[in-house]
Amino acid sequence: MKKLVLGLLALGLAGCDIPTEPPIFEPRLVFDAERTTLSVSQLLPTSVSVQGNSFLVNLSATSVTRTLGEICPPCAPFNGMTVPKPAFTATLPTATFSLPAGVRSAVLSNSVLNVQFFNGFSFDPIRPSATARGTIAVRITAGATVIADTTLSGTSLALPPGQTSTVPIALRPGTVTNASSINLDATITSPAGDPTVINTSAQFRLTPLSALVSSAIVDVLNRNVSVTQVALDLADIDADVIDHVKSGALVVLMDNPFGVTGTLTLRFTPAVVTTKAVQIAPGSTTQRVQFTQAELRQLLGRSVIVNISGPVNAPGTGVNLSPGQLANVTLRLDLVLTSADTN
């Protein structure tokens, strides 16, 4: 902590009268603590996390599953046999999902949808031989808006037999709201391939897992947050200064870009003073948390840790959050000393 003497306050002078008593000077000391932060991750729903410069939104989508017999009618006569794999084209049922609870909308910019494919077949449907290459055409819509229309090719992608593969599918720029259902349609075109065991009950499964988005509007309702603890190193203050403490306050400067409000509790370790409360509001604010003279004399001469935590809320329309956002909090202990002899 750095100690800064701001100056001497001369009190008791009035107008142009010549004082008959010496002026009373009250020194003022200000101790700056380290700056601390509240990260955006603490305001996110459990389904959303920060991943690099994006939000990772986990989806609770239902998987789409089909057996080889359902998508490859030419395979049915050869069930249980080892034969050259027949060619087939099949459109899977639509996978429908939406944004998770607590996420009102998401902005797509350099965004992807992570789709999981489980291939339970004895062959790779888009690489059924050393030279044959198939495709999976994927179309994703949010309401009436197409947010992806692409083709996954066996030239650059493999879906090995008996394995699960997660494939990122690029999304077009735009905004998706929780009022829109998101639909994913996929069509597999699988050419003829090498001899393989045909098992018509083997399954192929598609699951939309998660999406990377650039920002989101989320609900914040009684979300408990905790600001990184702050050290107030007051151990070097000597007894003479402590004896002359008259009054003081903990000045809390906040720069809050999130638009949330709430009452946070300040707890001190060791617990030599009672807990205090401070309000969090949008934008930049400065608040003074007053201490009694007795409390100040308990604090001074010690190394004190301050923890700040409590519930916060956002307006009913939610708050617009981006990865990397931080609320900055600076604590400053402001002391007024008396020059009078306290003994």
Side-chain angles (χ1 to χ4, degrees), residues 111-113 140 147-150 168-172:
S111 300
V112 300
L113 178 70
I140 306 173
I147 58 175
D149 194 358
T150 189
I169 297 175
L171 301 175
R172 296 175 179 175

Side-chain angles (χ1 to χ4, degrees), residues 238-276:
D238 60 40
D240 186 58
V241 172
I242 296 173
D243 289 341
H244 286 79
V245 168
K246 178 181 179 181
S247 62
L250 189 65
V251 182
V252 183
L253 300 94
M254 291 191 185
D255 184 11
N256 169 22
F258 301 130
V260 296
T261 61
T263 301
L264 303 182
T265 300
L266 284 71
R267 293 179 173 84
F268 303 87
T269 304
V272 292
V273 299
T274 61
T275 59
K276 303 290 183 178

Side-chain angles (χ1 to χ4, degrees), residues 62 77 129 158 182-183 188 224 234 288 323 334:
T62 302
S129 75
I182 304 173
N183 296 319
I188 304 173
N224 281 304
L234 309 175
R288 294 179 65 85
D334 185 2

Side-chain angles (χ1 to χ4, degrees), residues 1 21 24 37 67 152 162 188 196 199-200 222 239 288 336:
M1 173 184 294
E21 298 292 338
I24 299 173
T37 58
T67 65
L152 308 175
I188 304 173
T196 188
N199 178 3
T200 56
N222 288 327
R288 294 179 65 85
V336 176

